């Protein structure tokens, strides 16, 4: 019911007026504006009165009243208070990478100036900078020499034993290939094993003189008022989740009392206009809710050159000079304020550290696969992280997120070049993080892993299809590292780390080739008759000899390298008193066995896909940049069939052939092809949230964050749920960002206020502009292409006219074309 104040100066109650559609439309519009309720009612009644006095038959009262209201309010108008970013302070950031094999970029002398020697010429030798790191470099070299011996000696012994087991003692070309592949894979497994063992020793000792988080007498004092930017690169993400994560981190920082030293940036590379319109509204709501108009910013690039690394570089060029540090987050990252403040403190005390990488724990998902991944990360992860620190020390790697970066050297030395040739092995560098840490070290700055620092979290892909989709992108980026291995001026350890990145996925192709060669050898032996008398003269036949104990000993050795670290993780949990954080001793042991079974079933499936990714990348197939799936939802059977059917057919043919040609070898490789035959149901079952929740209820595959939840994750969950349940303006459904930006006067004012050049026209031709406007009014967002939506949303005049035209439509047409409910 519409009311109007009558004799308000005398304090009398407002008089009621009969409700009608015109009044409802006016109140729906005014209800979105920052006005008091009496002001809304008075304005609505005044407009209705003026509209009623207009000549009859000119237009319906509903449209006449709305036209008068828009004219009286001069609506829509740009939000005068919108401030999407701080003042720009430009800083050049150009690649200074040395000559690359088949790469590009200017050839520079070996090295770049030391940070304190920036007045020196470019020829300043970078190896002189290592004198500043003498406290750990000698120890690192000795440890890595020990690691090489621990890998080479067992690999040599195992490879020789492998040769003895082969039918011809490694004398044929096929068997030599088998032995070579086996040696590489055994060495690869050994690296992981000794990394875990080094981590076990480090954590059991409970003291590490090289831990970067430890305070030392020679540390620098902390400087007051150091500014840090916390950046969230996004690409079509669920903004309810992103906003909840930012709010949880913001609240945690407020509890430390140092929130004023931190600014937040949402850096968008989103191309879909529906999605980036939602991002803008979510950012504005978050800014208003937290009162962070001067500390929570949003920027969207028009062209997503170099993807995430280009997004970060764009921030550095525009705003990097305003900050000392940059904390890079992922869209699903959460960190406690205490952890962030401590990381800044560590960087302040150690002025030679360029990147400080935290170790994010995985939490927050409910599907069976995600829960198993979370359990593995929280139980085995600390040991492997400590092991990486043991071998790498200040030569560690940057993982791309949940890491604090010293901006000045990053801007100067870590810009990435464009590789010559076409993608996937040429073009922009995809796996930028490993390259950036290499460049930072080359420039004389340390890169450290804060393995003992808690309070850093991320989420894992919820299902196998999402995981493999992410791995495909990572595979393409890691394979590019082949181009960087022989770059000049790099430390030897970083060349090996590039190879290690290649092997993360290349090992799958080697496993596949090893199995294929083994199968070929088994088939050949079954089809070719045995030759007991060689061509040369001999008095005695050559009998084939089978030594089963040698085969079993080799299998046992490989199994020890793969599974013994899991046993040591269990021992470490008992030593550290963390067993209760995993549900108790019995549940912990049961969870480990369940995780081993599940990972063993999924390993062949991952191997098959990773091998395919490597092969197609080497053939030149480019992987697109897609939005990551972060929602706990079951994989449809149709999608699983489409994704896994080819591997199932190949595995069936493989198993059938072996069963008929070499029955004994069939059973040896059955642990490989059986999971491939079951890949479709495995993919569906492991994606079920209800199965993961049931395991949580009975206390299996628990993680410490579920037994004793940190406040940041509790707040994250509550804020995410609150964002999901928040009422939408004018009942516009989620995902329809364009309708929101066009129809809602607040969102439209925000969009107009964000236009840096209001006079710019996206379409110059007047006739085409009118045709596009009429099409949009009549058909709504569903009838427009992405290009047309962007043209309307980025044109001040077109968006203004479209907003007014939509509000003058009949109610039924507004609801049908623009999903607006004003009833």
């Amino acid at each position: 019911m519409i009311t109007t104040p009558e004799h308000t100066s005398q304090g009398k109650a407002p008089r009621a007026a009969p409700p009608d559609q015109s009044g409802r439309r006016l109140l729906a519009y005014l209800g979105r504006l920052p006005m008091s309720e009496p002001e809304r009612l008075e304005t609505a009644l005044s407009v209705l009165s003026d509209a009623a006095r207009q000549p009859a038959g000119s237009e319906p009262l509903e449209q006449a009243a709305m036209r008068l209201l828009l004219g009286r309010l001069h609506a829509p108008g740009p939000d005068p208070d919108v401030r999407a970013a701080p003042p720009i302070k430009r800083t050049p950031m150009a690649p200074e990478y040395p000559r690359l094999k088949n790469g590009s970029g200017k050839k520079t002398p070996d090295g770049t100036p030391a940070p304190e020697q920036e007045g020196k010429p470019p020829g300043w030798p970078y190896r002189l900078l290592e004198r500043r790191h003498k406290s750990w470099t000698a120890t690192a070299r000795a440890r890595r020499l020990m690691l090489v011996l621990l890998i080479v000696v067992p690999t040599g012994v195992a490879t020789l034993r492998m040769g003895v087991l082969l039918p011809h003692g490694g004398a044929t070309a096929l068997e030599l290939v088998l032995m070579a592949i086996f040696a590489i894979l055994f060495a690869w497994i050994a690296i992981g094993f000794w990394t875990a063992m080094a981590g076990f020793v480090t954590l059991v000792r409970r003291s590490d003189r090289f831990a970067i988080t430890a305070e030392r007498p020679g540390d620098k004092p902390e400087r007051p008022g150091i500014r840090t930017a916390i950046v969230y690169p996004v690409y079509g993400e669920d903004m309810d989740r992103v906003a909840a994560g930012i709010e949880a981190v913001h609240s945690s920082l407020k509890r430390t009392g140092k929130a004023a030293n931190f600014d937040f940036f949402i850096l968008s590379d989103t191309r879909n206009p529906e999605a980036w319109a939602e991002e803008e509204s979510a950012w504005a709501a978050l800014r208003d809710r937290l009162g962070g108009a001067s500390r929570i910013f949003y920027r969207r690039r028009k062209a997503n050159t170099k993807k995430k690394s280009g997004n970060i570089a764009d921030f550095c060029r525009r705003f990097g000079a305003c900050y000392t540090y940059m904390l890079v987050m992922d869209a699903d990252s959460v960190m406690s304020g205490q952890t962030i403040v401590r990381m800044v403190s560590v960087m302040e005390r150690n002025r030679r550290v360029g990147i400080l990488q935290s170790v994010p724990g995985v939490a927050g998902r409910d599907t069976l696969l995600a829960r198993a991944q979370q359990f593995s990360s929280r139980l085995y992860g600390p040991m492997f992280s400590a092991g990486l620190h043991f071998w790498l020390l200040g030569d560690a790697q940057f993982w791309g997120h949940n890491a604090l970066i010293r901006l000045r050297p990053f801007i100067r030395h870590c810009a990435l070049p464009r590789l010559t040739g076409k993608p996937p092995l040429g073009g922009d560098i995809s796996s930028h993080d490993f390259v950036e840490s290499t460049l930072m070290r080359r420039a004389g700055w340390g890169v450290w892993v804060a393995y003992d620092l808690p309070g850093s979290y991320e989420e894992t892909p919820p299902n196998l299809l999402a995981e493999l989709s992410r791995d495909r992108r990572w595979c393409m980026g890691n394979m590019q590292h082949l181009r960087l291995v022989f770059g000049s001026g790099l430390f030897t350890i970083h060349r090996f780390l590039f190879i290690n990145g290649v092997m993360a996925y290349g090992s799958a192709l080697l496993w596949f080739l090893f199995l294929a060669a083994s199968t070929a050898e088994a088939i050949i032996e079954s089809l070719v008759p045995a030759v007991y008398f060689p061509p040369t003269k001999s008095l005695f036949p050559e009998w084939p000899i089978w030594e089963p104990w040698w085969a079993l000993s080799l299998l046992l050795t490989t199994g020890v390298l793969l599974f013994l670290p899991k046993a040591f993780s269990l021992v470490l949990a008992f030593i550290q008193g963390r067993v209760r954080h995993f549900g108790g001793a019995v549940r912990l042991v049961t969870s480990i066995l369940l995780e081993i079974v599940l990972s063993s079933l999924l390993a062949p499936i991952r191997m098959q896909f990773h091998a395919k990714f490597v092969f197609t990348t080497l053939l030149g197939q480019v992987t697109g940049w897609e939005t990551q799936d972060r929602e706990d939802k079951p994989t449809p059977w149709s999608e699983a069939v489409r994704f896994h059917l080819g591997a199932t057919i190949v595995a069936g043919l493989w198993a059938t052939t072996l069963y008929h040609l070499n029955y004994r070898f069939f059973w040896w490789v059955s642990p490989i092809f059986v999971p491939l035959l079951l890949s479709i149901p495995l993919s569906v079952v492991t994606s079920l949230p209800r199965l993961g929740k049931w395991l949580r209820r009975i206390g299996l595959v628990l993680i410490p964050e579920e037994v004793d939840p940190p406040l940041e994750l509790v707040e994250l969950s509550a804020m995410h749920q609150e964002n999901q349940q928040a009422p939408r303006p004018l009942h516009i459904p989620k995902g329809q960002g364009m309708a929101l930006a066009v129809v809602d006067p607040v969102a439209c004012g925000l969009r107009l206020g964000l236009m840096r050049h209001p006079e710019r026209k996206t379409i110059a031709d007047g006739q085409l502009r009118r045709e596009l406007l009429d099409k949009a009014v009549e058909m709504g967002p569903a009838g427009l292409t992405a290009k047309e939506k962007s043209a309307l949303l980025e044109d001040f005049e077109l968006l203004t006219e479209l907003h007014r035209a939509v509000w003058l439509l009949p109610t039924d047409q507004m609801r049908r074309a623009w999903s607006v409910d004003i009833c």
Side-chain angles (χ1 to χ4, degrees), residues 308-309 312 398 400 416 429-437 481:
K308 181 179 177 180
S309 64
I312 296 294
F398 168 44
L416 300 180
I429 295 176
S430 297
S431 287
H432 58 94
D433 36 23
F434 284 13
V435 182
E436 288 161 347
S437 58
H481 294 170

Side-chain angles (χ1 to χ4, degrees), residues 76 273-274 276-278 280-281 728-729 732 736-752 755 781 789 792-793 799-800 802-803 807 818:
E274 297 281 4
W276 59 253
E278 290 278 5
E280 291 177 352
S281 295
R728 295 278 292 180
I732 298 173
Q736 297 195 22
M738 182 180 180
L740 186 67
V742 169
V743 181
D744 178 34
V746 174
C748 187
L750 173 68
R751 176 89 280 276
L752 294 173
M755 292 186 192
K789 293 177 184 178
L792 288 165
L793 292 177
L799 180 58
T800 301
L802 181 59
H803 175 87
W807 276 100
W818 289 91

Side-chain angles (χ1 to χ4, degrees), residues 233-235 266-272 276 279-280 298-315 317-319 428 625 756 794:
V234 298
Y235 181 74
I266 300 173
L267 306 178
S268 173
D269 259 345
T270 303
R271 308 265 61 80
N272 184 350
W276 59 253
E279 288 175 357
E280 291 177 352
Y298 172 86
R299 168 168 170 74
R300 183 180 65 88
R301 291 197 300 165
K302 295 296 180 65
N304 56 350
T305 308
K306 295 188 178 181
K307 301 176 183 177
K308 181 179 177 180
S309 64
N311 200 358
I312 296 294
D314 181 78
F315 164 82
R317 293 187 185 98
R318 291 172 176 270
F319 311 113
D428 296 330
W625 191 22
R756 292 186 293 274
E794 294 175 338

Side-chain angles (χ1 to χ4, degrees), residues 231-545:
V231 300
Y232 289 79
V234 298
Y235 181 74
E237 302 286 349
D238 173 14
M239 288 306 295
D240 287 342
R241 170 60 181 80
V242 174
I246 295 175
E247 189 168 356
V249 173
H250 182 272
S251 299
S252 186
L253 278 171
K254 285 186 67 176
R255 290 191 288 270
T256 68
K258 297 186 177 182
N261 294 333
F262 298 87
D263 289 348
F264 293 80
F265 287 81
I266 300 173
L267 306 178
S268 173
D269 259 345
T270 303
R271 308 265 61 80
N272 184 350
E274 297 281 4
W276 59 253
E278 290 278 5
E279 288 175 357
E280 291 177 352
S281 295
W283 159 71
L286 177 68
R287 176 201 61 183
D288 296 341
R289 188 162 62 248
L290 300 181
S294 61
R295 297 197 305 106
I296 301 175
F297 304 111
Y298 172 86
R299 168 168 170 74
R300 183 180 65 88
R301 291 197 300 165
K302 295 296 180 65
N304 56 350
T305 308
K306 295 188 178 181
K307 301 176 183 177
K308 181 179 177 180
S309 64
N311 200 358
I312 296 294
D314 181 78
F315 164 82
C316 291
R317 293 187 185 98
R318 291 172 176 270
F319 311 113
C322 304
Y323 302 93
T324 304
Y325 301 111
M326 171 177 65
L327 180 65
V328 181
M329 307 284 265
D330 253 1
D332 58 2
S333 296
V334 174
M335 294 181 69
S336 73
Q338 185 177 4
T339 298
I340 296 172
V341 169
R342 189 177 176 191
M343 290 179 73
V344 173
S345 175
V346 170
M347 295 279 273
E348 279 292 284
R349 290 187 284 103
N350 298 273
R351 303 285 175 82
R352 304 304 312 164
V353 176
I355 299 177
L356 182 62
Q357 175 68 62
S358 71
V359 180
V362 182
R365 297 266 67 92
D366 285 321
T367 63
L368 174 59
L369 176 65
R371 292 190 56 77
Q373 297 281 66
Q374 291 172 178
F375 177 79
S376 300
S377 166
R378 302 303 290 124
L379 182 61
Y380 314 140
M383 194 168 69
F384 280 93
S385 300
L388 283 175
H389 166 80
F390 182 86
W391 300 122
L392 297 177
L393 295 182
D395 286 315
Q397 291 170 301
F398 168 44
W399 299 335
H401 58 91
N402 293 49
L404 190 65
I405 297 175
R406 196 179 299 272
L407 271 169
R408 189 179 180 188
F410 184 83
I411 291 172
R412 174 158 188 173
H413 304 294
C414 297
L416 300 180
R418 185 186 298 268
L419 301 177
T420 57
K422 296 181 179 180
L425 297 181
D428 296 330
I429 295 176
S430 297
S431 287
H432 58 94
D433 36 23
F434 284 13
V435 182
E436 288 161 347
S437 58
T438 298
L439 295 175
M440 185 69 82
R441 277 295 295 125
R442 181 183 178 274
W445 298 83
V447 180
W448 291 82
V449 172
Y451 70 93
D452 56 347
L453 197 61
S456 178
Y457 309 100
E458 65 173 337
E459 294 175 355
T460 188
N463 55 64
L464 188 59
L465 302 191
E467 176 190 307
L468 293 172
S469 177
R470 178 203 63 184
D471 287 350
R472 187 174 184 179
R473 297 192 306 273
W474 287 4
C475 174
M476 186 187 78
N478 284 18
M479 294 304 294
Q480 276 186 325
H481 294 170
L482 289 169
R483 299 280 305 277
L484 311 178
V485 170
F486 301 105
S488 63
L490 304 185
F491 289 100
T492 302
I493 183 61
H494 291 108
R495 301 183 195 275
F496 281 105
L497 289 176
F498 280 144
I499 295 174
N500 184 71
V502 173
M503 281 296 294
Y505 295 97
S507 60
L509 182 59
L510 292 178
W511 276 114
F512 184 82
L513 294 176
F514 181 78
L515 291 171
S518 300
T519 301
E521 178 79 3
I523 292 175
I524 290 172
E525 289 303 311
S526 66
L527 296 178
V528 177
V531 178
Y532 299 104
F533 292 94
T536 58
K537 293 182 179 181
S538 176
L539 296 176
F540 304 99
E542 293 183 358
W543 303 103
I545 299 175

